[in-house]
Amino acid sequence: MTAEHPTNWRKPTRSSTGNACVEVGRLTNGTAIRDTKNRTAGHLTTTRTQWTAFITALKTNRFE
């Protein structure tokens, strides 16, 4: 990944009143993830392929 700055940060709608979740931001070729409680700590980045695989695993209950 490049030193690109993520844009359009958002958090899940189910956590609209809380602050104990993660936010995702857009990158040209991937996704950035950060802790809502500590936004200044930085973020992790994934490629588009990695993010798609992660979301697919979540939706198919591979982590339960």
Side-chain angles (χ1 to χ4, degrees):
M1 288 268 145
T2 64
E4 175 184 4
H5 293 285
T7 60
N8 195 32
W9 286 103
R10 62 191 189 282
K11 62 181 179 177
T13 55
R14 292 185 184 193
S15 66
S16 62
T17 59
N19 222 18
C21 60
V22 296
E23 296 176 314
V24 295
R26 289 187 182 180
L27 295 170
T28 302
N29 292 308
T31 302
I33 304 118
R34 69 182 178 189
D35 184 348
T36 301
K37 294 179 293 194
N38 193 2
R39 292 179 176 130
T40 59
H43 59 272
L44 301 171
T45 60
T46 67
T47 65
R48 187 171 298 193
T49 301
Q50 291 167 329
W51 185 250
T52 300
F54 175 68
I55 295 300
T56 300
L58 287 175
K59 289 181 177 182
T60 58
N61 297 317
R62 286 187 42 207
F63 298 114
E64 291 190 287

